Amino acid sequence: DAMVIQNPRYQVTQFGKPVTLSCSQTLNHNVMYWYQQKSSQAPKLLFHYYDKDFNNEADTPDNFQSRRPNTSFCFLDIRSPGLGDAAMYLCATSRDWTGEEKLFFGSGTQLSVL
Amino acid sequence: GENVEQHPSTLSVQEGDSAVIKCTYSDSASNYFPWYKQELGKRPQLIIDIRSNVGEKKDQRIAVTLNKTAKHFSLHITETQPEDSAVYFCAASSNDYKLSFGAGTTVTVRA
């Protein structure tokens, strides 16, 4: 009964080859987030969607894009992965956008760039 | 933006002893402070949170304290058990509603 599902669990891509990570939710939450987490570091927010409204963090590289075609699904596209993009990518959801919402995380996708 | 610092980065405790993790934050407007636990290979999960109008909150063996004047908050785990071994992240949310996470503390409970 997983509520936030990320696929794949592990993804290997080549330097410069576009890659897409996917996330789905069964919670019907309004907000979906993508975080990047590198080893021994804090999860870093890349962007979030409030419903269909896209919100990009100021320091998120242009190389990263996102799509949310409907409430349940959200995708992270990395157009030209570099070695520095190797990381764990965590998708999360929250019911609303109030600053006091519980985040529900997926299990993450570990991205390797060769 | 908010900056959250978390200490220590690693913590090893004997089973049955207490564990304390401390976090400081920079934005005095921050008003929500959750703690997430991430077991090896699993997703982060919320274990406890505290709001700025409360100084302490307990849930069984875990408790969180908040000192708004000093801008720090702490997680206390009493009577630690092997299943408490995990990475713990503190976070703070400010007026922009975004959560800023600390870098995490790896807790190992020795049998």
Side-chain angles (χ1 to χ4, degrees):
Chain A
D1 56 344
M3 296 177 288
V4 182
I5 303 164
Q6 289 187 244
N7 285 303
R9 188 69 186 269
Y10 301 94
Q11 176 73 56
V12 180
T13 191
Q14 293 179 336
F15 184 94
K17 184 175 181 180
V19 66
T20 295
L21 310 182
S22 71
C23 178
S24 64
Q25 57 137 337
T26 60
L27 298 163
N28 203 34
H29 281 175
N30 285 322
V31 190
M32 295 188 78
Y33 309 78
W34 280 104
Y35 284 87
Q36 180 192 62
Q37 185 181 22
K38 295 188 177 181
S39 182
S40 302
Q41 295 183 20
K44 179 181 178 298
L45 182 64
L46 296 174
F47 23 63
H48 77 273
Y49 273 94
Y50 185 92
D51 195 14
K52 296 181 181 179
D53 292 335
F54 177 71
N55 296 271
N56 199 31
E57 293 302 296
D59 57 354
T60 297
D62 293 339
N63 199 25
F64 290 84
Q65 303 287 325
S66 185
R67 297 170 283 135
R68 189 179 185 186
N70 53 53
T71 301
S72 301
F73 286 87
C74 195
F75 300 96
L76 171 61
D77 301 308
I78 308 177
R79 291 191 296 188
S80 181
L83 298 179
D85 296 328
M88 173 70 80
Y89 290 88
L90 292 167
C91 173
T93 72
S94 66
R95 183 185 54 84
D96 211 330
W97 180 251
T98 64
E100 299 186 2
E101 298 289 329
K102 176 181 177 179
L103 295 184
F104 292 80
F105 284 92
S107 296
T109 293
Q110 182 69 49
L111 178 68
S112 299
V113 181
L114 304 180
Chain B
E2 176 68 277
N3 181 45
V4 178
E5 295 192 356
Q6 183 172 347
H7 300 279
S9 57
T10 61
L11 181 60
S12 179
V13 296
Q14 189 70 38
E15 183 177 356
D17 288 350
S18 295
V20 181
I21 305 170
K22 298 182 179 180
C23 289
T24 60
Y25 60 98
S26 60
D27 189 345
S28 57
S30 291
N31 52 18
Y32 175 64
F33 308 90
W35 287 86
Y36 284 82
K37 174 184 179 182
Q38 187 174 22
E39 297 178 53
L40 189 63
K42 297 188 177 180
R43 67 196 72 201
Q45 292 190 304
L46 179 72
I47 54 171
I48 195 167
D49 57 12
I50 191 168
R51 288 165 174 81
S52 60
N53 58 348
V54 176
E56 183 176 2
K57 184 177 179 180
K58 284 185 179 180
D59 183 3
Q60 298 182 342
R61 295 187 298 108
I62 60 173
V64 57
T65 58
L66 171 64
N67 184 327
K68 286 216 71 180
T69 303
K71 291 190 282 188
H72 68 70
F73 56 112
S74 301
L75 179 71
H76 304 253
I77 308 173
T78 58
E79 301 173 20
T80 53
Q81 300 171 4
E83 55 263 36
D84 296 328
S85 295
V87 180
Y88 292 81
F89 294 95
C90 64
S93 174
S94 188
N95 289 336
D96 63 3
Y97 293 174
K98 296 176 185 175
L99 272 182
S100 296
F101 284 89
T105 297
T106 301
V107 174
T108 303
V109 179
R110 307 187 307 272

